[in-house]
Amino acid sequence: MGKRSRKRGATIAPPQPTAAEPVRARAAGVGGPRSRRARMDEAPKAAWSPFPLTELVILLALVLLAVGFFSSGDRRGVLIGVGLVLASLAGGELALREHFAGFRSHTTLLAGVAGFLAGALATVLGVSKVAVLVIAVVVAIACFPLLRRAFMRRSGGLGFRA
């Protein structure tokens, strides 16, 4: 008998699950944590979507920085400063939105920003330079586990996503 005749009599068993299927199921949102690979279709939308406000602010910041770097005079410092502030605000908004939606982890960045803001506040209040540094580091270290837990809750248990 040839190979063909043996195949006719055999029943076809359902395919056995492979090792990749649980990963696909998690990526699709079925049980367990999501995939470590963040897909662009999962990106959180801004409250002002579809208007590209964040992108326009970043573009404006880049223009101000370029004009500031290539100009001379009294306005140079102001243009560079305003450009840096606008770029920081737009990037910070995007990082906050992505982090608290569970899309991508920005734990270290956000903890550093919290420490920086605490240090800036301490400087405005007239605290000594050593105390400002200690306050900034303590706030950043205290915020890190809180931000990490918040991301893990939103991402389905993942500590980070790329």
Side-chain angles (χ1 to χ4, degrees):
M1 290 183 111
K3 291 182 182 177
R4 198 174 254 193
S5 62
R6 279 187 231 141
K7 286 185 178 176
R8 270 190 222 146
T11 58
I12 298 174
Q16 296 296 320
T18 63
E21 286 185 32
V23 173
R24 279 190 223 117
R26 281 194 300 262
V30 179
R34 292 189 283 177
S35 169
R36 287 203 187 275
R37 184 91 179 145
R39 296 186 333 247
M40 285 309 293
D41 61 340
E42 296 175 349
K45 301 287 184 216
W48 46 84
S49 183
F51 186 75
L53 180 64
T54 303
E55 291 82 0
L56 290 174
V57 171
I58 292 172
L59 178 65
L60 177 63
L62 289 173
V63 168
L64 288 172
L65 285 169
V67 170
F69 280 123
F70 295 117
S71 68
S72 59
D74 298 337
R75 292 203 211 146
R76 181 178 185 180
V78 173
L79 290 171
I80 292 173
V82 171
L84 288 173
V85 167
L86 284 176
S88 298
L89 286 174
E93 181 274 328
L94 182 63
L96 275 171
R97 186 172 11 121
E98 287 183 351
H99 185 82
F100 286 108
F103 180 63
R104 288 204 175 112
S105 176
H106 298 287
T107 305
T108 306
L109 174 71
L110 295 175
V113 168
F116 174 80
L117 291 175
L121 180 63
T123 301
V124 168
L125 294 176
V127 179
S128 71
K129 289 181 181 180
V130 173
V132 167
L133 181 63
V134 169
I135 289 169
V137 169
V138 166
V139 167
I141 290 172
C143 286
F144 186 87
L146 300 173
L147 289 165
R148 184 161 172 95
R149 270 187 251 131
F151 179 79
M152 289 175 77
R153 272 194 308 273
R154 295 294 188 152
S155 68
L158 295 175
F160 71 95
R161 288 184 81 189

